[in-house]
Amino acid sequence: MHKHPLHSVLSSPSEPVMEQATAFAPSNIALVKYWGKRNSDYNLPLTDSLSVSLDNKGTTTTISIADGQDQCILNGKPIEMHSDFGKRLTHFLDGVRPGGLCFHIETTSNIPVAAGLASSASGFAALVLALNQLFGWQCSDTDLSRMARVGSGSACRSIWNGFVKWQAGTEATGQDSFGIPLDITWPELRIGLLIVDEAEKPMSSRRAMNHTVATSDLFRTWPERTAQAMRQLESALSEKDFGTLGHIAENHALLMHATMEDAKPPVSYSTEATQAIRKKVWKLRQDGIAVFSTQDAGPNIKLLFLQPTQSVVLETFPDMEIVEPFKTHLPSA
Ligand code: PMV
């Protein structure tokens, strides 16, 4: 029988130790992106990636034992359990349920879900944190990160706040593929959320990623370019060199979208509004303002800047929602 990928972390299913458990996990935005898998069952990436979590912006999930079948309510609306996402969730839960136990999951996000703001990342991280309580596993954060990764790759970085590196690893079942929190705080760092389109994504990140890896020639340059971006970003973080951080993050996001546009047939998440924002950002930089953009599998843009430039960035983007990644997060050392 095919082993459930969660069993690489959990040896055997156990009985719940409580009726209900609740947990929160932050969203995260990658500065060096995860794009491309070496294994889809375990969500093992081809390269390392590095993100910053959004402090108290993310997902709160309550899980309890249910009768009959799994149910999931997302921001007040039931999820269709036969949809792609519903099946993915059921399959994930199959890895933890003893016997025929079913679950009721209530999940709410305090960030715009339509913004494609890594809601599956904070969602799977919060689910794993709540399951850890419900079953009394007392797993290490590293094991929780490995488990969240099985649900959604980027979720392995949402177990922590602050900067988190996801080490790709080389092992077949992902024992060495998990998030590592970096002991760096940057209280002046700001992330501006710009929602340009609330429509559903034309294609899930999962499908777009696999299609790009399979058909883009440009993607062949991705592993080397990503390794270089990781080295430059890690040194920029240790030197608190915001200009380098911003340039690396923006360029890496543009490269990711270029590989998608090079896929056959091409995939594009960008709209005219996306492109217009990018150009405004470039114009601000020409005028000497250190502001950069990044974009994930959706049309919306996240801006990166520092607190002293906040008012001038707001003049150009008055609708921007500002997140302070280090607002309540305290350094661990
Ligand atoms: O974790 P997934 O399968 O939703 O992939 C997300 C990938 C990006 O958000 C586009 C990049 C990243 O590193 O978060």
Side-chain angles (χ1 to χ4, degrees):
M1 212 177 86
H2 193 60
K3 199 177 160 194
H4 193 286
L6 281 180
H7 296 169
S8 59
V9 187
L10 280 177
S11 43
S12 60
S14 58
E15 292 297 326
V17 296
M18 52 178 81
E19 285 286 307
Q20 168 172 315
T22 298
F24 168 83
S27 283
N28 76 76
I29 305 288
L31 303 175
V32 167
K33 307 287 184 193
Y34 148 56
W35 198 245
K37 303 177 201 224
R38 63 184 166 86
N39 177 304
S40 300
D41 289 338
Y42 291 86
N43 281 336
L44 301 177
L46 284 165
T47 65
D48 294 346
S49 57
L50 200 155
S51 61
V52 61
S53 289
L54 299 190
D55 195 79
N56 53 11
K57 296 272 176 198
T59 301
T60 301
T61 292
T62 297
I63 184 157
S64 51
I65 311 301
D67 288 326
Q69 58 184 41
D70 293 333
Q71 302 147 11
C72 179
I73 316 288
L74 173 61
N75 288 331
K77 278 206 208 144
I79 286 190
E80 170 53 71
M81 294 312 279
H82 294 291
S83 65
D84 282 356
F85 182 76
K87 285 189 206 150
R88 197 170 132 196
L89 184 60
T90 306
H91 177 63
F92 183 82
L93 295 169
D94 287 344
V96 304
R97 70 175 100 240
L101 197 78
C102 292
F103 300 103
H104 179 83
I105 299 169
E106 293 263 354
T107 182
T108 51
S109 283
N110 63 2
I111 44 158
V113 165
L117 284 163
S119 50
S120 72
S122 55
F124 272 102
L127 177 62
V128 161
L129 290 165
L131 285 166
N132 186 44
Q133 294 178 36
L134 190 83
F135 287 102
W137 292 327
Q138 300 188 316
C139 283
S140 65
D141 286 349
T142 303
D143 271 348
L144 296 173
S145 174
R146 290 185 178 104
M147 291 172 71
R149 187 202 71 233
V150 170
S152 180
S154 53
C156 77
R157 301 183 306 233
S158 274
I159 297 293
W160 298 272
N161 245 312
F163 295 107
V164 180
K165 176 179 177 173
W166 175 9
Q167 164 183 289
T170 55
E171 288 180 29
T173 59
Q175 287 310 309
D176 55 353
S177 185
F178 47 78
I180 300 169
L182 305 186
D183 191 16
I184 298 170
T185 49
W186 203 329
E188 301 80 25
L189 185 67
R190 295 291 179 271
I191 296 181
L193 309 179
L194 289 169
I195 289 130
V196 303
D197 191 342
E198 307 229 354
E200 281 245 333
K201 294 179 186 186
M203 195 190 267
S204 70
S205 57
R206 185 164 281 232
R207 277 186 56 208
M209 194 184 285
N210 293 338
H211 173 64
T212 303
V213 175
T215 64
S216 163
D217 294 314
L218 181 60
F219 187 80
R220 292 193 201 139
T221 64
W222 178 261
E224 201 181 314
R225 291 277 300 271
T226 302
Q228 187 187 18
M230 280 297 294
R231 282 192 297 273
Q232 290 169 329
L233 178 62
E234 287 186 78
S235 101
L237 282 173
S238 62
E239 287 160 25
K240 293 269 166 78
D241 173 355
F242 180 70
T244 302
L245 176 151
H247 279 292
I248 297 300
E250 182 170 301
N251 180 260
H252 199 254
L254 288 171
L255 179 63
M256 179 177 82
H257 287 275
T259 65
M260 289 185 231
E261 292 183 9
D262 182 52
K264 286 92 185 169
V267 177
S268 177
Y269 287 109
S270 305
T271 65
E272 275 175 33
T274 312
Q275 188 59 11
I277 294 171
R278 284 184 192 151
K279 287 189 175 165
K280 280 188 188 174
V281 168
W282 296 337
K283 173 76 175 57
L284 281 171
R285 284 218 298 279
Q286 275 172 8
D287 296 344
I289 314 296
V291 55
F292 302 86
S293 75
T294 184
Q295 181 190 354
D296 293 290
N300 304 307
I301 293 275
K302 295 105 192 186
L303 300 182
L304 302 164
F305 55 94
L306 294 177
Q307 192 280 329
T309 44
Q310 184 163 306
S311 54
V312 38
V313 177
L314 261 176
E315 274 170 32
T316 306
F317 300 105
D319 298 332
M320 155 175 88
E321 182 179 352
I322 300 171
V323 177
E324 299 182 30
F326 295 92
K327 191 170 184 173
T328 59
H329 171 63
L330 298 169
S332 54

